[in-house]
Amino acid sequence: QVQLVESGGGLVQAGGSLTLSCAASGRAFSSYAMGWFRQAPGKEREFVAAISLGGGTTYYSDSVKGRFIISRNNAKNTVYLQMNSLKPEDTAVYYCNAGTYSRGTYYPSSEYWGQGTQVTVSS
């Protein structure tokens, strides 16, 4: 079992930055690849970024590539999402997930999700 708790969301103006954190407890954090997803009102949850077990490989959606950076600290059981040059269309609830990562594809687990943190970007 892995329990995930996101934090760091808030209200920010367009062009600003935020860093989200996802703290994990339970089974070995370093055994899982980690991913960030987001869900805007009226839309389906979408993939944002993922990072491999050791942190050496990362993968981003086209919509955030070059603006967001995913990282992890296995000693602190935490994964981060640094979000720069934020746009109003980045407004969503952001979720972290513990899953697997293979050949450039992140496979989210169905059971290891955090509760989400709201990010609102004003224009």
Side-chain angles (χ1 to χ4, degrees):
Q1 293 289 334
V2 177
Q3 293 79 42
L4 304 172
V5 178
E6 301 96 336
S7 61
L11 174 64
V12 63
Q13 289 188 335
S17 297
L18 276 177
T19 298
L20 306 183
S21 299
C22 173
S25 60
R27 295 190 63 185
F29 175 72
S30 58
S31 298
Y32 295 93
M34 298 296 296
W36 284 97
F37 291 74
R38 66 186 181 187
Q39 187 167 17
K43 296 187 177 181
E44 293 187 354
R45 190 173 297 188
E46 65 173 359
F47 170 80
V48 174
I51 189 166
S52 59
L53 275 65
T57 304
T58 56
Y59 184 58
Y60 300 92
S61 68
D62 288 341
S63 62
V64 307
K65 195 175 298 181
R67 300 188 297 124
F68 291 12
I69 300 172
I70 187 171
S71 61
R72 66 189 295 165
N73 185 328
N74 286 347
K76 294 185 177 181
N77 285 3
T78 303
V79 61
Y80 305 95
L81 185 68
Q82 180 181 339
M83 305 185 295
N84 303 313
S85 302
L86 283 162
K87 305 175 181 180
E89 51 264 43
D90 294 318
T91 295
V93 178
Y94 284 71
Y95 300 89
C96 66
N97 175 272
T100 58
Y101 184 91
S102 177
R103 298 181 180 180
T105 300
Y106 180 77
Y107 298 93
S109 67
S110 59
E111 56 184 320
Y112 300 143
W113 290 95
Q115 83 290 347
T117 185
Q118 176 71 47
V119 172
T120 303
V121 184
S122 63
S123 58

mmCIF file of all heavy atoms in Angstrom, residues 31-35 47 49-53 56-60 70 72 98-108:
data_model
loop_
_atom_site.group_PDB
_atom_site.id
_atom_site.type_symbol
_atom_site.label_atom_id
_atom_site.label_comp_id
_atom_site.label_asym_id
_atom_site.label_seq_id
_atom_site.Cartn_x
_atom_site.Cartn_y
_atom_site.Cartn_z
ATOM 1 N N SER A 31 10.223 2.002 -5.242
ATOM 2 C CA SER A 31 9.794 0.875 -6.064
ATOM 3 C C SER A 31 8.817 1.285 -7.157
ATOM 4 O O SER A 31 8.449 0.472 -7.999
ATOM 5 C CB SER A 31 9.127 -0.195 -5.190
ATOM 6 O OG SER A 31 10.029 -0.704 -4.230
ATOM 7 N N TYR A 32 8.404 2.540 -7.126
ATOM 8 C CA TYR A 32 7.378 3.004 -8.053
ATOM 9 C C TYR A 32 7.883 4.153 -8.918
ATOM 10 O O TYR A 32 8.551 5.063 -8.434
ATOM 11 C CB TYR A 32 6.154 3.500 -7.288
ATOM 12 C CG TYR A 32 5.438 2.429 -6.514
ATOM 13 C CD1 TYR A 32 5.743 2.197 -5.178
ATOM 14 C CD2 TYR A 32 4.460 1.643 -7.115
ATOM 15 C CE1 TYR A 32 5.088 1.218 -4.460
ATOM 16 C CE2 TYR A 32 3.804 0.661 -6.396
ATOM 17 C CZ TYR A 32 4.131 0.446 -5.073
ATOM 18 O OH TYR A 32 3.481 -0.533 -4.364
ATOM 19 N N ALA A 33 7.510 4.103 -10.183
ATOM 20 C CA ALA A 33 7.570 5.312 -10.974
ATOM 21 C C ALA A 33 6.433 6.210 -10.489
ATOM 22 O O ALA A 33 5.454 5.729 -9.918
ATOM 23 C CB ALA A 33 7.394 4.989 -12.456
ATOM 24 N N MET A 34 6.584 7.504 -10.697
ATOM 25 C CA MET A 34 5.581 8.444 -10.210
ATOM 26 C C MET A 34 5.101 9.325 -11.346
ATOM 27 O O MET A 34 5.863 9.692 -12.240
ATOM 28 C CB MET A 34 6.157 9.313 -9.089
ATOM 29 C CG MET A 34 6.586 8.541 -7.860
ATOM 30 S SD MET A 34 5.217 7.710 -7.031
ATOM 31 C CE MET A 34 4.229 9.112 -6.522
ATOM 32 N N GLY A 35 3.829 9.671 -11.274
ATOM 33 C CA GLY A 35 3.261 10.514 -12.307
ATOM 34 C C GLY A 35 2.397 11.610 -11.723
ATOM 35 O O GLY A 35 1.883 11.486 -10.602
ATOM 36 N N PHE A 47 -2.796 13.118 -18.407
ATOM 37 C CA PHE A 47 -1.416 12.951 -17.997
ATOM 38 C C PHE A 47 -0.652 14.267 -18.124
ATOM 39 O O PHE A 47 -0.835 15.013 -19.095
ATOM 40 C CB PHE A 47 -0.761 11.878 -18.872
ATOM 41 C CG PHE A 47 0.712 11.769 -18.725
ATOM 42 C CD1 PHE A 47 1.261 11.089 -17.649
ATOM 43 C CD2 PHE A 47 1.568 12.357 -19.646
ATOM 44 C CE1 PHE A 47 2.634 10.994 -17.503
ATOM 45 C CE2 PHE A 47 2.932 12.261 -19.505
ATOM 46 C CZ PHE A 47 3.473 11.578 -18.434
ATOM 47 N N ALA A 49 3.019 14.543 -16.357
ATOM 48 C CA ALA A 49 4.449 14.227 -16.335
ATOM 49 C C ALA A 49 4.675 12.945 -15.549
ATOM 50 O O ALA A 49 3.844 12.566 -14.717
ATOM 51 C CB ALA A 49 5.252 15.367 -15.709
ATOM 52 N N ALA A 50 5.801 12.291 -15.823
ATOM 53 C CA ALA A 50 6.158 11.078 -15.098
ATOM 54 C C ALA A 50 7.664 11.017 -14.908
ATOM 55 O O ALA A 50 8.421 11.645 -15.657
ATOM 56 C CB ALA A 50 5.666 9.836 -15.837
ATOM 57 N N ILE A 51 8.076 10.230 -13.920
ATOM 58 C CA ILE A 51 9.495 10.085 -13.623
ATOM 59 C C ILE A 51 9.760 8.637 -13.225
ATOM 60 O O ILE A 51 8.931 8.005 -12.565
ATOM 61 C CB ILE A 51 9.918 11.082 -12.517
ATOM 62 C CG1 ILE A 51 11.432 11.110 -12.341
ATOM 63 C CG2 ILE A 51 9.204 10.780 -11.202
ATOM 64 C CD1 ILE A 51 11.913 12.312 -11.524
ATOM 65 N N SER A 52 10.898 8.135 -13.663
ATOM 66 C CA SER A 52 11.246 6.742 -13.393
ATOM 67 C C SER A 52 11.644 6.527 -11.935
ATOM 68 O O SER A 52 11.756 7.469 -11.152
ATOM 69 C CB SER A 52 12.391 6.329 -14.322
ATOM 70 O OG SER A 52 13.529 7.161 -14.113
ATOM 71 N N LEU A 53 11.877 5.276 -11.568
ATOM 72 C CA LEU A 53 12.153 4.911 -10.178
ATOM 73 C C LEU A 53 13.308 5.707 -9.580
ATOM 74 O O LEU A 53 13.205 6.251 -8.488
ATOM 75 C CB LEU A 53 12.481 3.427 -10.076
ATOM 76 C CG LEU A 53 11.327 2.434 -9.966
ATOM 77 C CD1 LEU A 53 10.480 2.424 -11.225
ATOM 78 C CD2 LEU A 53 11.863 1.035 -9.687
ATOM 79 N N GLY A 56 16.039 9.150 -13.227
ATOM 80 C CA GLY A 56 16.898 9.446 -14.361
ATOM 81 C C GLY A 56 16.167 9.689 -15.665
ATOM 82 O O GLY A 56 16.731 10.250 -16.607
ATOM 83 N N THR A 57 14.912 9.285 -15.730
ATOM 84 C CA THR A 57 14.123 9.457 -16.955
ATOM 85 C C THR A 57 12.830 10.176 -16.625
ATOM 86 O O THR A 57 12.153 9.834 -15.665
ATOM 87 C CB THR A 57 13.812 8.094 -17.581
ATOM 88 O OG1 THR A 57 15.029 7.387 -17.826
ATOM 89 C CG2 THR A 57 13.051 8.271 -18.895
ATOM 90 N N THR A 58 12.522 11.171 -17.445
ATOM 91 C CA THR A 58 11.281 11.917 -17.270
ATOM 92 C C THR A 58 10.523 11.975 -18.590
ATOM 93 O O THR A 58 11.103 11.797 -19.662
ATOM 94 C CB THR A 58 11.549 13.345 -16.774
ATOM 95 O OG1 THR A 58 12.443 14.002 -17.691
ATOM 96 C CG2 THR A 58 12.175 13.336 -15.392
ATOM 97 N N TYR A 59 9.238 12.252 -18.485
ATOM 98 C CA TYR A 59 8.368 12.245 -19.655
ATOM 99 C C TYR A 59 7.271 13.266 -19.408
ATOM 100 O O TYR A 59 6.728 13.339 -18.308
ATOM 101 C CB TYR A 59 7.781 10.846 -19.842
ATOM 102 C CG TYR A 59 6.941 10.647 -21.065
ATOM 103 C CD1 TYR A 59 7.447 10.866 -22.334
ATOM 104 C CD2 TYR A 59 5.626 10.209 -20.959
ATOM 105 C CE1 TYR A 59 6.665 10.666 -23.461
ATOM 106 C CE2 TYR A 59 4.842 10.005 -22.083
ATOM 107 C CZ TYR A 59 5.379 10.231 -23.323
ATOM 108 O OH TYR A 59 4.611 10.035 -24.436
ATOM 109 N N TYR A 60 6.967 14.080 -20.439
ATOM 110 C CA TYR A 60 6.001 15.166 -20.286
ATOM 111 C C TYR A 60 4.969 15.149 -21.399
ATOM 112 O O TYR A 60 5.259 14.742 -22.522
ATOM 113 C CB TYR A 60 6.724 16.515 -20.304
ATOM 114 C CG TYR A 60 7.743 16.695 -19.207
ATOM 115 C CD1 TYR A 60 9.072 16.354 -19.394
ATOM 116 C CD2 TYR A 60 7.356 17.213 -17.969
ATOM 117 C CE1 TYR A 60 10.010 16.509 -18.387
ATOM 118 C CE2 TYR A 60 8.290 17.378 -16.951
ATOM 119 C CZ TYR A 60 9.611 17.019 -17.164
ATOM 120 O OH TYR A 60 10.530 17.175 -16.158
ATOM 121 N N ILE A 70 9.476 17.695 -13.494
ATOM 122 C CA ILE A 70 9.172 16.701 -12.469
ATOM 123 C C ILE A 70 10.486 16.197 -11.879
ATOM 124 O O ILE A 70 11.469 16.010 -12.594
ATOM 125 C CB ILE A 70 8.336 15.536 -13.035
ATOM 126 C CG1 ILE A 70 7.888 14.595 -11.913
ATOM 127 C CG2 ILE A 70 9.088 14.783 -14.130
ATOM 128 C CD1 ILE A 70 6.872 13.543 -12.375
ATOM 129 N N ARG A 72 12.164 13.942 -8.120
ATOM 130 C CA ARG A 72 11.828 13.149 -6.941
ATOM 131 C C ARG A 72 13.027 13.078 -6.012
ATOM 132 O O ARG A 72 14.179 13.162 -6.440
ATOM 133 C CB ARG A 72 11.373 11.743 -7.331
ATOM 134 C CG ARG A 72 12.437 10.871 -7.960
ATOM 135 C CD ARG A 72 11.822 9.570 -8.515
ATOM 136 N NE ARG A 72 11.269 8.737 -7.460
ATOM 137 C CZ ARG A 72 10.432 7.721 -7.698
ATOM 138 N NH1 ARG A 72 10.051 7.449 -8.940
ATOM 139 N NH2 ARG A 72 9.980 6.993 -6.691
ATOM 140 N N ALA A 98 1.238 6.651 -8.167
ATOM 141 C CA ALA A 98 2.364 5.711 -8.132
ATOM 142 C C ALA A 98 2.069 4.593 -9.114
ATOM 143 O O ALA A 98 1.016 3.954 -9.028
ATOM 144 C CB ALA A 98 2.549 5.157 -6.729
ATOM 145 N N GLY A 99 2.981 4.382 -10.065
ATOM 146 C CA GLY A 99 2.725 3.375 -11.089
ATOM 147 C C GLY A 99 3.998 2.752 -11.614
ATOM 148 O O GLY A 99 4.963 2.571 -10.871
ATOM 149 N N THR A 100 3.980 2.458 -12.911
ATOM 150 C CA THR A 100 5.148 1.879 -13.565
ATOM 151 C C THR A 100 5.476 2.661 -14.824
ATOM 152 O O THR A 100 4.622 3.357 -15.386
ATOM 153 C CB THR A 100 4.908 0.405 -13.922
ATOM 154 O OG1 THR A 100 3.757 0.312 -14.772
ATOM 155 C CG2 THR A 100 4.677 -0.442 -12.685
ATOM 156 N N TYR A 101 6.721 2.532 -15.271
ATOM 157 C CA TYR A 101 7.203 3.315 -16.404
ATOM 158 C C TYR A 101 8.053 2.399 -17.266
ATOM 159 O O TYR A 101 8.992 1.772 -16.788
ATOM 160 C CB TYR A 101 8.025 4.497 -15.860
ATOM 161 C CG TYR A 101 8.524 5.476 -16.880
ATOM 162 C CD1 TYR A 101 7.756 6.584 -17.226
ATOM 163 C CD2 TYR A 101 9.769 5.337 -17.471
ATOM 164 C CE1 TYR A 101 8.213 7.521 -18.134
ATOM 165 C CE2 TYR A 101 10.229 6.256 -18.379
ATOM 166 C CZ TYR A 101 9.450 7.348 -18.709
ATOM 167 O OH TYR A 101 9.905 8.269 -19.617
ATOM 168 N N SER A 102 7.677 2.316 -18.536
ATOM 169 C CA SER A 102 8.413 1.422 -19.421
ATOM 170 C C SER A 102 8.429 1.976 -20.830
ATOM 171 O O SER A 102 7.374 2.327 -21.379
ATOM 172 C CB SER A 102 7.758 0.030 -19.414
ATOM 173 O OG SER A 102 8.410 -0.833 -20.310
ATOM 174 N N ARG A 103 9.616 2.081 -21.390
ATOM 175 C CA ARG A 103 9.785 2.467 -22.802
ATOM 176 C C ARG A 103 9.023 3.734 -23.145
ATOM 177 O O ARG A 103 8.296 3.789 -24.151
ATOM 178 C CB ARG A 103 9.368 1.316 -23.703
ATOM 179 C CG ARG A 103 10.220 0.075 -23.515
ATOM 180 C CD ARG A 103 9.796 -1.061 -24.439
ATOM 181 N NE ARG A 103 10.627 -2.241 -24.242
ATOM 182 C CZ ARG A 103 10.472 -3.375 -24.932
ATOM 183 N NH1 ARG A 103 9.537 -3.460 -25.863
ATOM 184 N NH2 ARG A 103 11.253 -4.400 -24.696
ATOM 185 N N GLY A 104 9.157 4.733 -22.275
ATOM 186 C CA GLY A 104 8.584 6.030 -22.569
ATOM 187 C C GLY A 104 7.104 6.165 -22.275
ATOM 188 O O GLY A 104 6.496 7.184 -22.608
ATOM 189 N N THR A 105 6.526 5.171 -21.660
ATOM 190 C CA THR A 105 5.103 5.216 -21.336
ATOM 191 C C THR A 105 4.909 5.006 -19.840
ATOM 192 O O THR A 105 5.498 4.094 -19.261
ATOM 193 C CB THR A 105 4.320 4.142 -22.108
ATOM 194 O OG1 THR A 105 4.495 4.370 -23.502
ATOM 195 C CG2 THR A 105 2.834 4.204 -21.770
ATOM 196 N N TYR A 106 4.086 5.863 -19.252
ATOM 197 C CA TYR A 106 3.768 5.724 -17.834
ATOM 198 C C TYR A 106 2.444 4.994 -17.706
ATOM 199 O O TYR A 106 1.461 5.326 -18.376
ATOM 200 C CB TYR A 106 3.664 7.101 -17.169
ATOM 201 C CG TYR A 106 3.332 7.019 -15.709
ATOM 202 C CD1 TYR A 106 4.302 6.674 -14.783
ATOM 203 C CD2 TYR A 106 2.047 7.269 -15.255
ATOM 204 C CE1 TYR A 106 4.002 6.584 -13.444
ATOM 205 C CE2 TYR A 106 1.733 7.179 -13.921
ATOM 206 C CZ TYR A 106 2.720 6.830 -13.012
ATOM 207 O OH TYR A 106 2.420 6.739 -11.684
ATOM 208 N N TYR A 107 2.417 3.982 -16.832
ATOM 209 C CA TYR A 107 1.218 3.184 -16.594
ATOM 210 C C TYR A 107 0.740 3.467 -15.168
ATOM 211 O O TYR A 107 1.329 2.968 -14.202
ATOM 212 C CB TYR A 107 1.513 1.698 -16.782
ATOM 213 C CG TYR A 107 1.958 1.360 -18.189
ATOM 214 C CD1 TYR A 107 3.315 1.324 -18.522
ATOM 215 C CD2 TYR A 107 1.030 1.088 -19.189
ATOM 216 C CE1 TYR A 107 3.739 1.028 -19.803
ATOM 217 C CE2 TYR A 107 1.442 0.788 -20.479
ATOM 218 C CZ TYR A 107 2.792 0.761 -20.780
ATOM 219 O OH TYR A 107 3.202 0.481 -22.054
ATOM 220 N N PRO A 108 -0.316 4.291 -15.025
ATOM 221 C CA PRO A 108 -0.782 4.631 -13.680
ATOM 222 C C PRO A 108 -1.453 3.444 -13.008
ATOM 223 O O PRO A 108 -2.118 2.640 -13.657
ATOM 224 C CB PRO A 108 -1.781 5.763 -13.921
ATOM 225 C CG PRO A 108 -2.292 5.528 -15.303
ATOM 226 C CD PRO A 108 -1.141 4.955 -16.067
#
